[in-house]
Amino acid sequence: MPSLQDRLTAPTLAAHNGRSVQYQQNVAEIRKEIAAVSEELDRRSGAGSRGPIYIV
């Protein structure tokens, strides 16, 4: 779970001393990962989810 959380919530842009790096996140991949997490939570709780999981 920690590596999944890092991949989905890590910054997409970082800058320091005039240098910057930007990570391009694949939206389709993020949606797939969120769906997998939601399905796993449903499986563990034994019930359907009440709504989608959103990353803010």
Side-chain angles (χ1 to χ4, degrees):
M1 275 310 264
S3 66
L4 176 62
Q5 182 177 356
D6 289 344
R7 282 192 4 229
L8 297 178
T9 60
T12 58
L13 178 66
H16 181 69
N17 289 337
R19 294 184 179 191
S20 66
V21 62
Q22 183 172 2
Y23 302 98
Q24 186 170 357
Q25 293 182 331
N26 184 344
V27 175
E29 183 65 25
I30 292 173
R31 287 183 179 147
K32 180 179 155 190
E33 296 285 347
I34 291 172
V37 169
S38 182
E39 289 173 12
E40 180 64 19
L41 292 173
D42 288 347
R43 186 186 68 76
R44 289 182 184 192
S45 67
S49 64
R50 299 179 194 266
I53 298 173
Y54 294 99
I55 294 179
V56 179

